[in-house]
Amino acid sequence: MVEDEKAGRRGRIVVVAGVNGVGKSTVLAKVKEARSDLRVVNYGDEMFALAKRQTLVNTRDEIRKLPLQNQLELQKRAAQNIRELARDENVIVDTHVLVTTPNGYFPGLPRWVVEGLSPDTIVLIEAPPDLVFARRVNDKTRVRSDQDTPQEIKTFMDLARVAAIASAILVGATVKFIQNLEGDPSRAANEIVKLF
Ligand code: AMP
Ligand code: MG
């Protein structure tokens, strides 16, 4: 394991983000297959568990519609919990760099989150917007009432790049854009594994 001077912890932290439908879960499942020693923590799971305990939501897709103050508190507490988990291990944090709320884009990695996690690298998983669009149409597991067009998806992906860089600047992390091509999630997974 690598000694991290910045945060006084051992192990690396890599944040992995990507818009819904980009295939992030599939890629991270491949990462776990390849490297069982890497711990994958899902930020949404952490926020959902906290929100459910406070009976604020019933489904994870309701989190981004909560009043912003609630989202901020959940986000901060999730960062603390994840930071605890990540003390001595190599950790991947599965999250978002931008969250769409009724009030506009909410940063997934504002200063208090990214400084708390202190990632070595921020990875953005990307795929062609048309493919993301098709995957969303076919995904029946999530509540996706607000169906974006491929052009809107492209705009959001461009903004996600900007958000990833902005967060990285705060902590001196590197940023890596990784393409998840159709039918080949292992390739993207391998790119992530190489970061450890
Ligand atoms: P996911 O299943 O990864 O889409 O995450 C579920 C929900 O958790 C998202 O729709 C957001 O509302 C919330 N979430 C995940 N990561 C973050 C973050 N870093 N900051 C704020 N909200 C987040
Ligand atoms: Mg996901």
Side-chain angles (χ1 to χ4, degrees):
M1 270 191 234
V2 179
E3 182 79 359
D4 188 324
E5 299 294 339
K6 275 191 300 184
R9 63 175 151 74
R10 300 170 68 82
R12 291 186 163 256
I13 295 198
V14 171
V15 166
V16 177
V19 305
N20 293 323
V22 84
K24 187 165 51 122
S25 307
T26 310
V27 169
L28 289 180
K30 292 279 171 202
V31 169
K32 278 196 265 191
E33 254 175 59
R35 284 280 300 270
S36 57
D37 60 304
L38 297 181
R39 179 163 192 169
V40 180
V41 183
N42 184 293
Y43 210 102
D45 281 352
E46 207 63 44
M47 285 180 66
F48 185 40
L50 292 166
K52 250 196 322 198
R53 215 172 298 156
Q54 295 176 242
T55 63
L56 293 171
V57 298
N58 291 311
T59 70
R60 56 198 298 133
D61 288 300
E62 291 170 50
I63 300 171
R64 62 193 177 81
K65 311 227 167 99
L66 285 171
L68 279 179
Q69 197 51 42
N70 286 327
Q71 291 189 56
L72 267 171
E73 277 164 25
L74 292 166
Q75 186 189 48
K76 284 185 178 168
R77 286 175 58 200
Q80 284 164 4
N81 292 355
I82 291 170
R83 188 195 172 123
E84 279 305 308
L85 292 173
R87 198 170 283 283
D88 297 309
E89 290 180 80
N90 282 322
V91 173
I92 290 172
V93 182
D94 173 352
T95 190
H96 296 279
V97 288
L98 280 184
V99 176
T100 304
T101 80
N103 291 25
Y105 300 120
F106 184 63
L109 301 175
R111 182 179 44 76
W112 48 91
V113 173
V114 77
E115 283 185 356
L117 297 177
S118 190
D120 299 276
T121 301
I122 299 172
V123 167
L124 206 53
I125 302 189
E126 301 184 321
D130 288 337
L131 196 59
V132 173
F133 177 78
R135 287 198 189 124
R136 285 186 187 180
V137 169
N138 291 325
D139 182 359
K140 304 282 181 261
T141 67
R142 298 291 289 265
V143 187
R144 308 231 199 265
S145 52
D146 35 9
Q147 199 63 257
D148 294 323
T149 64
Q151 184 53 50
E152 286 167 336
I153 292 170
K154 185 185 180 302
T155 300
F156 188 72
M157 291 176 71
D158 289 342
L159 291 175
R161 285 187 156 204
V162 174
I165 297 282
S167 295
I169 286 171
L170 298 175
V171 292
T174 55
V175 176
K176 201 167 167 72
F177 303 124
I178 296 180
Q179 298 301 315
N180 179 31
L181 301 176
E182 186 64 355
D184 204 3
S186 298
R187 229 183 136 108
N190 193 40
E191 290 291 309
I192 294 173
V193 165
K194 280 196 291 188
L195 294 167
F196 287 93

